[in-house]
Amino acid sequence: MLDSRHAPQCGGSAVSLKAIGFGLGRTGCTSLAAALEQLGFGPCYTAARLANPSSIPLWNHALDGTPDWEAIYQGCNAACDHPTAFFYRELTSQYSQAKFILTTRDPERWYVSASATILSEKVQQDLERSPIAPMVRKMHARLPGLYSRDKDQVLDAFRTHYADVRRYLSADRLLIFQAGDGWEPLCNFLGVACPTTEYPHANEGKDFQDEWKSRFKG
């Protein structure tokens, strides 16, 4: 069962999002969230917030076409990861003044990482038995093939998402970003000074697996 203790909490008042990431899971979303928070754009909403049961009805409404974005992102200044990534059309309209970031990764390397984590049979079985199963099915339907057992279908869906986001947003409104790029392109895009610390590297494969085991028992 999902454990809400692992979900970072956003503040109590609704704030328009200032930065939104549309990259798919396992492209450095958790690292981006940590970076945004370090730069003063936090709290950042990520997939970990799905551990909070109150968020599930809100996302179900969004997936059914009646979103309440202010309720979903209440108190947050940024968002990335799933399910946010699937709503790039709606969110660029709702938060038109935000900075939009597309975390990406070499498709083959992404597939290796995703197959061992978010696309693995265990994770998908755990999700199917969890309270968020209906929501997850609706989310999968927004990008058919991404959660297929067929590698070619998965990679086609991955490439489709990235091509669609790039077509939808003009180059001047979207930062294409990889974690290995470091602080400079992100900070230049956001208009802030670069920290002297290293760019965050969070939620590596083993970190994900350990965290998943702590959320799902059995």
Side-chain angles (χ1 to χ4, degrees):
M1 188 171 185
L2 284 167
D3 183 351
S4 61
R5 292 173 300 174
H6 294 271
Q9 300 301 308
C10 292
S13 59
V15 178
S16 290
L17 298 183
K18 299 174 183 176
I20 308 175
F22 297 129
L24 297 177
R26 308 310 301 166
T27 63
C29 297
T30 306
S31 297
L32 175 64
L36 290 171
E37 292 187 346
Q38 186 172 338
L39 294 172
F41 287 79
C44 184
Y45 191 110
T46 69
R49 288 270 293 179
L50 296 178
N52 183 343
S54 66
S55 68
I56 307 309
L58 293 170
W59 279 113
N60 273 315
H61 287 308
L63 288 158
D64 290 337
T66 56
D68 184 346
W69 299 121
E70 290 302 301
I72 287 173
Y73 296 119
Q74 184 178 27
C76 292
N77 290 312
C80 65
D81 203 359
H82 299 182
T84 294
F86 296 104
F87 291 91
Y88 59 90
R89 294 181 179 87
E90 297 89 340
L91 291 172
T92 51
S93 175
Q94 178 74 13
Y95 301 104
S96 59
Q97 300 305 309
K99 298 287 189 177
F100 304 118
I101 304 161
L102 187 64
T103 51
T104 189
R105 192 174 185 179
D106 172 78
E108 290 287 343
R109 292 191 175 188
W110 170 82
Y111 181 79
V112 171
S113 175
S115 295
T117 52
I118 59 175
L119 299 183
S120 71
E121 186 174 355
K122 172 168 175 45
V123 167
Q124 293 306 308
Q125 287 177 348
D126 286 342
L127 287 174
E128 190 60 35
R129 294 192 295 264
S130 78
I132 70 171
M135 189 210 80
V136 170
R137 291 187 209 109
K138 293 177 188 178
M139 191 172 72
H140 291 184
R142 287 186 72 93
L143 188 55
L146 184 65
Y147 295 88
S148 167
R149 305 311 301 169
D150 181 86
K151 178 182 177 179
D152 289 339
Q153 289 185 26
V154 173
L155 287 175
D156 282 348
F158 179 89
R159 294 186 178 102
T160 294
H161 175 77
Y162 281 85
D164 287 349
V165 174
R166 290 185 182 198
R167 273 195 299 267
Y168 194 77
L169 282 164
S170 57
D172 62 314
R173 298 186 69 202
L174 182 68
L175 173 67
I176 311 299
F177 182 73
Q178 296 190 44
D181 295 339
W183 286 114
E184 188 172 357
L186 178 63
C187 293
N188 288 345
F189 183 68
L190 296 174
V192 297
C194 290
T196 57
T197 56
E198 289 187 4
Y199 184 85
H201 293 283
N203 202 23
E204 300 291 340
K206 186 178 185 305
D207 296 332
F208 176 94
Q209 291 163 358
D210 290 344
E211 175 72 7
W212 196 264
K213 288 176 184 177
S214 74
R215 291 190 187 184
F216 289 88
K217 308 298 182 183

